[in-house]
Amino acid sequence: MHIGIMGLGYVGLPLAVAFAEAGHDVTALDTDARKIDSIRRRESYIEDIPSDRLAAVADRIEATRHAQPLARCDAVLICVPTPLTANREPDLGPLMSATRALSGVLQSGQLVVVESTTYPGTTRERIAPLLEECGLVAGRDFNVAFSPERVDPGRTDFTLRTTPKIVGGLTDACADRAVALYEAVCDTVVRVTTPDAAELAKLLENIFRSVNIALVNEMAMLADRMGIDIWEVVDAAATKPYGFMRFDPGPGMGGHCLPVDPFYLSWRAREFDMTAEFIELAGKVNQNMPYHCVARIERVLNDAAKAVRGSRIAVFGVSYKAGVGDMRESPALKIIDVLAGLGADVVYHDPHVPELVEQGLRSTSVDDTLDGADLAVIVTAHPGVDHDSIVERAPLALDLRGVTRRSKDRSTVQL
Ligand SMILES: NC(=O)c1ccc[n+]([C@@H]2O[C@H](COP(=O)([O-])OP(=O)(O)OC[C@H]3O[C@@H](n4cnc5c(N)ncnc54)[C@H](O)[C@@H]3O)[C@@H](O)[C@H]2O)c1
């Protein structure tokens, strides 16, 4: 097969490499010239795809900024961003613009699959009609399906091949073709009856996580007031062999998906006279967590008769989750900005994030970060960083991830 991929980020580049590894030709399109140049140089910019893996299949990947080569493809997968506007409403701009570009070169017999996360109805009501502006008819002259991406950056136990892939086609024939396509790179393909069901399934998965994270974060705030160790509580509850799924509290939700996707559904729900209250409440609790963490920092300093203003605060880990350098929606940014606004002197160490451009900060070594610090705060606990030693060496320490609970230093404060 000849596969076209539009949008070569965390979702699109791994897909391009997977199809090339399965022996298919890939036309990889992105509007970002730096990404195209990087692929042409056989250098990966996604941590999950080592450059040698990309280089091994680079001969089968044609990287381009132009839509015309997509006309030669059997199937085109759309993997562009689906962000929120400043008012937290769905921004379908990139998705519409990619679809419009594809419509200009669409050929009879092609299959188009949307992978970008979006609200139920997008593929049927927005994508198919826009593609049809070329004069071809969806479901008759070309096929359309939705298949949500489930990649979890940094994860190695589940891969594209071993993670079941959901597919919903506009017609049965559309679904047949999309199932056959994904069977080339996935062991299990799960077929649902409509694109709308596939769109909603993806949102249910993310909202499930968002609501459960909010629940355990609310518990953490309550346990803090009650003087109970939330980590001990979570550890104990997680011993139940059924009916409980572990979620850990933390400084807030980050990444491209969880802080964004649920609001696609709450926005859509309003059209159906519904308020999606779980979604809104979970968003509210999770968005408040960085502020709760700052209040926690203020208390730790206050107990030592210190003010935030003028204190040197050493932040360990700034990406949104352990083991990766992804900064999108990272709660560390909010914590750092609020602390800086309060007059703190913030320094940080993160082996995955060399620089925070907007904050004007560069990652320093563990020793330099601790040098002269009044307080060490573990915001994201990267593997390979010795957090026990950090909290033992810092005059004051606050652990927002519960990773130093068993450290010899009993003075460390937990979230
Ligand atoms: N990152 C994840 O872990 C993840 C997981 C599941 C689903 N998703 C969803 O997949 C979609 C893509 O996410 P991502 O993380 O890969 O985003 P990303 O920002 O890493 O990559 C998107 C790419 O699309 C390109 N792009 C933007 N507009 C374009 C256009 N009109 N034509 C061609 N390319 C264009 C951008 O330059 C960028 O390289 C989103 O809807 C996201 O919600 C992401």
Side-chain angles (χ1 to χ4, degrees):
M1 288 184 288
H2 188 159
I3 313 293
I5 312 245
M6 302 183 82
L8 303 170
Y10 287 87
V11 168
L13 186 65
L15 270 175
V17 169
F19 276 105
E21 285 174 343
H24 304 287
D25 289 327
V26 175
T27 293
L29 181 149
D30 203 291
T31 45
D32 182 347
R34 287 166 308 176
K35 291 204 168 104
I36 298 306
D37 290 344
S38 187
I39 294 172
R40 286 181 183 160
R41 287 197 310 274
R42 305 178 170 212
E43 284 170 16
S44 173
Y45 44 86
I46 299 283
E47 280 173 311
D48 287 349
I49 304 289
S51 290
D52 51 359
R53 212 180 132 196
L54 172 64
V57 291
D59 286 344
R60 279 201 283 278
I61 302 179
E62 170 199 25
T64 177
R65 287 172 63 197
H66 306 290
Q68 193 55 46
L70 296 175
R72 298 196 304 272
C73 295
D74 300 295
V76 179
L77 317 184
I78 304 180
C79 313
V80 299
T82 40
L84 294 173
T85 64
N87 298 330
R88 304 194 72 74
E89 294 189 343
D91 175 5
L92 290 188
L95 189 54
M96 291 299 106
S97 136
T99 306
R100 201 170 293 113
L102 179 58
S103 173
V105 297
L106 195 73
Q107 302 295 312
S108 185
Q110 285 186 318
L111 164 68
V112 179
V113 187
V114 180
E115 291 235 359
S116 303
T117 308
T118 184
Y119 60 80
T122 310
T123 306
R124 205 169 23 85
E125 294 173 13
R126 305 293 304 274
I127 304 293
L130 187 50
L131 290 171
E132 285 179 331
E133 285 183 10
C134 69
L136 299 172
V137 177
R140 187 192 73 190
D141 303 326
F142 65 97
N143 296 121
V144 181
F146 181 84
S147 178
E149 181 52 57
R150 285 169 156 173
V151 67
D152 182 10
R155 179 155 223 138
T156 49
D157 50 352
F158 287 100
T159 61
L160 180 63
R161 177 156 290 285
T162 58
T163 307
K165 193 102 171 78
I166 297 175
V167 166
L170 207 58
T171 63
D172 282 348
C174 294
D176 289 344
R177 281 202 60 198
V179 169
L181 169 79
Y182 285 111
E183 279 176 346
V185 288
C186 301
D187 292 341
T188 310
V189 180
V190 181
R191 184 177 172 141
V192 294
T193 52
T194 57
D196 310 55
E199 288 160 336
L200 187 53
K202 170 69 187 176
L203 291 176
L204 174 61
E205 291 168 15
N206 283 355
I207 291 160
F208 172 83
R209 286 188 59 74
S210 163
V211 167
N212 280 287
I213 291 169
L215 176 67
V216 77
N217 279 339
E218 190 176 75
M219 283 279 180
M221 290 190 276
L222 181 60
D224 173 33
R225 289 205 189 176
M226 292 175 156
I228 300 171
D229 178 349
I230 185 64
W231 307 98
E232 187 181 13
V233 173
V234 174
D235 283 350
T239 59
K240 186 175 181 184
Y242 53 87
F244 182 82
M245 183 178 280
R246 184 187 180 115
F247 284 85
D248 288 294
M253 253 175 8
H256 182 269
C257 298
L258 298 193
V260 173
D261 301 346
F263 297 101
Y264 267 67
L265 189 59
S266 56
W267 175 85
R268 180 69 162 167
R270 292 200 281 276
E271 236 177 284
F272 294 82
D273 292 338
M274 281 272 304
T275 308
E277 293 187 41
F278 274 102
I279 298 173
E280 299 287 348
L281 182 60
K284 198 169 136 192
V285 172
N286 289 327
Q287 275 163 20
N288 183 49
M289 280 314 284
Y291 297 99
H292 170 75
C293 295
V294 171
R296 205 77 187 84
I297 289 168
E298 286 172 329
R299 260 167 54 206
V300 174
L301 289 169
N302 187 61
D303 288 347
K306 290 185 173 179
V308 173
R309 180 170 301 281
S311 285
R312 190 172 171 87
I313 300 179
V315 171
F316 289 88
V318 296
S319 61
Y320 88 88
K321 74 170 179 179
V324 296
D326 194 339
M327 284 305 299
R328 294 182 293 181
E329 309 276 334
S330 174
L333 292 174
K334 181 70 72 181
I335 293 173
I336 289 172
D337 287 346
V338 176
L339 288 175
L342 290 170
D345 172 18
V346 183
V347 286
Y348 85 94
H349 169 77
D350 190 316
H352 298 271
V353 184
E355 194 175 8
L356 294 178
V357 178
E358 278 185 25
Q359 284 67 23
L361 296 175
R362 289 192 76 84
S363 174
T364 48
S365 69
V366 172
D367 286 347
D368 287 350
T369 307
L370 280 173
D371 191 25
D374 295 288
L375 167 69
V377 186
I378 300 170
V379 178
T380 297
H382 288 303
V385 176
D386 186 350
H387 296 102
D388 283 348
S389 132
I390 288 168
V391 298
E392 279 159 26
R393 289 164 62 196
L396 296 169
L398 172 60
D399 176 1
L400 303 177
R401 296 288 183 176
V403 287
T404 61
R405 284 183 52 232
R406 289 174 189 85
S407 138
K408 289 195 289 294
D409 184 48
R410 308 306 308 160
S411 64
T412 304
V413 182
Q414 312 289 331
L415 174 70

